[in-house]
Amino acid sequence: LCALAVSAGLETPDIIELRKTKEVESGLESSETGPALYTILPQKQVEVGDGMMGTQHVYDVSAAIKVPGPAIHTAPSGEASQKKRKLKEQQDAAKAKKYKEFKF
């Protein structure tokens, strides 16, 4: 005969609650809506083509395109590359200093 031993904490519970609690439900109802998952495109009635391959409507995709915000001021490319180079040199110098200070 084989005896099964169950260690503490692994017993099957008498009841398992699968329903959501009131706190979870109220949290779901009051949560803010996130970004839209899709955009409904307005439909326009038109006559494009003729016969079997024509269509009677098109979708206005321009309504889904977001309007760009205010332009962000960027440095001229020469100045930007100079700043990047200077930052890279500073990072390399810091790495070299850490390497020299490191002791096994």
Side-chain angles (χ1 to χ4, degrees), residues 14 36 45 49 59 83 85:
D14 293 333
Q45 298 297 326
Y59 295 98
K83 285 182 180 180
R85 198 172 323 127

Side-chain angles (χ1 to χ4, degrees), residues 12-94:
T12 305
D14 293 333
I15 355 174
I16 298 174
E17 183 64 43
L18 297 177
R19 294 188 179 133
K20 294 179 183 176
T21 62
K22 296 286 183 194
E23 297 165 358
V24 172
E25 288 176 356
S26 65
L28 290 174
E29 291 172 1
S30 66
S31 65
E32 296 180 12
T33 58
L37 299 177
Y38 59 90
T39 303
I40 299 174
L41 299 175
Q43 183 176 339
K44 293 182 181 179
Q45 298 297 326
V46 295
E47 290 292 331
V48 178
D50 60 276
M52 289 183 7
M53 302 305 284
T55 184
Q56 295 177 350
H57 62 273
V58 294
Y59 295 98
D60 184 12
V61 181
S62 64
I65 299 172
K66 295 191 183 337
V67 178
I72 300 173
H73 176 69
T74 57
S77 61
E79 185 179 330
S81 63
Q82 201 172 32
K83 285 182 180 180
K84 287 180 186 178
R85 198 172 323 127
K86 194 173 193 178
L87 179 63
K88 176 97 172 108
E89 289 172 2
Q90 290 173 349
Q91 290 173 342
D92 290 343

